[in-house]
Amino acid sequence: MKKYDVHSFPKSDTYLERAHALIPAGAHTYSKGDDCFPEHGPHYLLRGKGCRVWDVDGNEFIDMGMGLTSAGLGHAYEPVVERVRQALELGVNYSLPHPMEAELAERIVGLYDGADMVKLGKHGSDATTGAVKLARAFTGRDMVAFCKDQPFFSTNDWFIGATACNAGIPESTRNLICSFGYNDLSSLEYLFTEHPGEIACVILQPMEFDEPQPDFLPGVRRLCDKYGALLIFDEVISGFRWHMKGAQHIFGVIPDFTCLGKTIANGFSVSALTGKKAYMELGGTRHRGPKVFLLSTTHGGEIHSLAAALATLEEMEKHRVQDHMKGIGEYFIQGFNKLAEQHGIRDFCFTRGWGCRPLVETRNAENKGDMAYRTLFMQEMIYRGVLIPQVAPSFGMKKADMDQVFEALDETFKCYAQALEAKDAKKFLDGRPIKAVFRKSNFEN
């Protein structure tokens, strides 16, 4: 495997300075910003194919993040690309809907239990915010309870107001947000008793990395029913990754709303809010009550994105893509932890979770999560041709690709072990440590 070094990314560095002069944070997605990656590495990518990507300097990498988990089939997956090519011949957007809008809605309703109607958007935030709005309208309540152990639900005020980046969010909005712990039913019931008759909805991912305890998700459902709140499952990542019917199907709990996105169109911009008709119809135009202005976006019906979504769902069913994701992810978990054990760092650098969405843990000599050690891990993997901000197994990843990842890990773990022995990862960094997206100041880790 070719090894890159700090001098391998001159064009990326040039683009980065150009971008920062024009774009706040230098990127349109905070988690793609240069502060979330090692200082010396690729900052801009030109193309991708399968699980491989190439940066502006011509360097090749295995992309373990797969477009923030969105490219479930792989980059530039030909059957999807061909369907998009055909759709582009029809135009992109009209003054009236295209039949594919209803076709995609029918496909989703046919998959998800409890989904009677669908509203399409472009981003996961469209779907989650739409669900919150409908829940508030239906219940006549204002407060939102979200799972504090899961990092992100929306770019909108109702969630960002509860993060460290709450500048610009009115205090009145921040006061309408409360949080509970995953696998902690007592913390959720406490919120209901602390705010009687005020909580409109509860939102959480049915599973991120930690598996739900047997009674947790059913218990959340019961508490919502008991206290009159609506239940929202954010399946923007887990939908079509855990199962064609989402993680909710695996765990047997049906929410009032399901929010979908990411993998639904293999990287093309499509999201979906689904739910029961009694709630969704509030955003319609054929009922006699007050109209909820739900989602209305010029680009929600882009023809090529709808075609990509329909093609993606067909390919996933045809090839049992979720089974492959799970299998290749389990292969990664086993190989990663075996190598970490061999290098004597298994307690400090390891991976866990389900095969469809593993989590890499990077800890310091005191066995605490540490950004400097995370940066070192990412840096050394980048130098060995692996881009690994997160792990999102895809249909485009094969065992041969994972074997190359293991080669990179073998060398990376040698450096990680040295940093643990020195009790200082910063000594091994070619630049500053990465930073968390949600932080009060740009100058804090």
Side-chain angles (χ1 to χ4, degrees):
M1 177 174 283
K2 183 176 179 179
K3 187 175 185 298
Y4 304 114
D5 60 27
V6 296
H7 304 295
S8 301
F9 314 102
K11 289 184 180 179
S12 259
D13 292 340
T14 300
Y15 270 100
L16 183 63
E17 294 311 308
R18 288 173 60 186
H20 270 286
L22 299 165
I23 303 167
H28 297 293
T29 307
Y30 278 115
S31 58
K32 292 184 180 183
D34 61 296
D35 58 341
C36 292
F37 287 83
E39 188 169 346
H40 295 289
H43 298 302
Y44 288 87
L45 300 176
L46 273 184
R47 63 187 179 93
K49 186 67 177 177
C51 68
R52 309 271 171 160
V53 291
W54 289 262
D55 71 2
V56 292
D57 290 286
N59 302 313
E60 177 183 343
F61 301 90
I62 294 175
D63 180 12
M64 295 298 290
M66 296 305 298
L68 303 181
T69 77
S70 67
L73 294 171
H75 298 298
Y77 185 77
E78 186 55 36
V80 174
V81 172
E82 178 56 31
R83 191 77 68 88
V84 170
R85 286 194 193 102
Q86 295 171 10
L88 286 172
E89 295 294 329
L90 307 175
V92 174
N93 220 327
Y94 313 135
S95 297
L96 289 170
H98 189 278
M100 280 192 286
E101 295 186 34
E103 292 171 19
L104 181 55
E106 286 172 347
R107 288 285 284 121
I108 295 169
V109 167
L111 286 169
Y112 279 77
D113 296 330
D116 299 326
M117 303 184 81
V118 176
K119 190 75 167 178
L120 298 177
K122 302 303 287 180
H123 315 284
S125 296
D126 291 342
T128 56
T129 297
V132 168
K133 187 184 296 185
L134 287 173
R136 284 171 164 168
F138 184 82
T139 63
R141 302 172 179 180
D142 296 329
M143 293 195 70
V144 176
F146 75 94
C147 182
K148 64 183 178 182
D149 299 312
Q150 297 168 342
F152 185 74
F153 290 99
S154 176
T155 62
N156 298 88
D157 289 4
W158 67 264
F159 171 70
I160 297 297
T163 73
C165 297
N166 59 14
I169 313 297
E171 184 177 0
S172 57
T173 299
R174 301 201 300 266
N175 291 337
L176 297 177
I177 314 167
C178 56
S179 63
F180 62 96
Y182 192 77
N183 277 331
D184 186 356
L185 281 176
S186 63
S187 68
L188 178 57
E189 184 149 33
Y190 172 80
L191 293 181
F192 279 120
T193 57
E194 186 74 5
H195 305 282
E198 297 181 69
I199 297 177
C201 57
V202 172
I203 183 168
L204 73 160
Q205 298 177 56
M207 179 181 170
E208 188 184 22
F209 302 113
D210 295 315
E211 190 168 348
Q213 294 173 0
D215 193 48
F216 176 64
L217 293 176
V220 172
R221 175 76 271 179
R222 288 195 302 271
L223 287 175
C224 286
D225 293 341
K226 177 180 177 180
Y227 291 101
L230 299 187
L231 176 57
I232 304 168
F233 275 175
D234 177 350
E235 295 228 44
V236 171
I237 291 177
S238 58
F240 307 112
R241 180 166 287 278
W242 265 246
H243 192 279
M244 285 296 292
K245 296 173 178 286
Q248 60 190 259
H249 177 78
I250 293 174
F251 299 120
V253 176
I254 301 174
D256 299 303
F257 299 105
T258 299
C259 303
L260 302 166
K262 299 285 190 184
T263 313
I264 191 173
N266 201 47
F268 284 86
S269 185
V270 177
S271 66
L273 167 62
T274 78
K276 298 174 182 177
K277 186 171 184 177
Y279 314 130
M280 293 290 292
E281 187 59 49
L282 294 176
T285 57
R286 292 189 172 184
H287 65 92
R288 296 186 179 275
K291 177 184 176 182
V292 174
F293 196 85
L294 183 51
L295 284 169
S296 183
T297 167
T298 299
H299 301 293
E302 282 178 337
I303 309 308
H304 60 280
S305 294
L306 299 175
L310 287 167
T312 297
L313 298 183
E314 289 175 15
E315 289 296 308
M316 284 188 163
E317 287 192 324
K318 178 180 177 182
H319 297 292
R320 299 177 64 89
V321 166
Q322 288 75 23
D323 290 343
H324 179 85
M325 287 179 178
K326 185 173 182 289
I328 201 70
E330 289 173 347
Y331 186 65
F332 170 79
I333 291 171
Q334 292 165 6
F336 186 110
N337 290 336
K338 181 180 179 181
L339 280 169
E341 185 76 38
Q342 291 173 0
H343 285 275
I345 63 171
R346 175 67 174 79
D347 291 337
F348 307 96
C349 191
F350 58 93
T351 186
R352 63 182 180 83
W354 281 18
C356 50
R357 182 82 165 105
L359 172 68
V360 172
E361 296 268 16
T362 48
R363 300 180 179 179
N364 60 25
E366 285 71 47
N367 209 12
K368 297 178 181 178
D370 190 306
M371 283 299 194
Y373 281 83
R374 182 126 196 121
T375 310
L376 179 63
F377 173 79
M378 291 174 64
Q379 169 187 285
E380 295 304 308
M381 291 295 282
I382 283 171
Y383 288 170
R384 291 163 180 83
V386 179
L387 195 60
I388 187 166
Q390 53 186 300
V391 181
S394 75
F395 189 59
M397 292 178 179
K398 311 303 179 188
K399 283 191 174 182
D401 301 309
M402 290 301 102
D403 289 341
Q404 283 190 266
V405 172
F406 297 152
E407 289 180 31
L409 283 169
D410 192 35
E411 294 298 315
T412 294
F413 286 159
K414 292 177 184 177
C415 185
Y416 201 102
Q418 292 171 0
L420 287 170
E421 186 176 359
K423 296 186 177 181
D424 186 0
K426 292 181 181 179
K427 291 171 57 176
F428 297 83
L429 294 181
D430 296 319
R432 45 89 187 117
I434 63 175
K435 297 180 178 180
V437 168
F438 291 113
R439 59 187 190 271
K440 200 71 175 175
S441 165
N442 285 324
F443 300 99
E444 68 180 51
N445 287 324

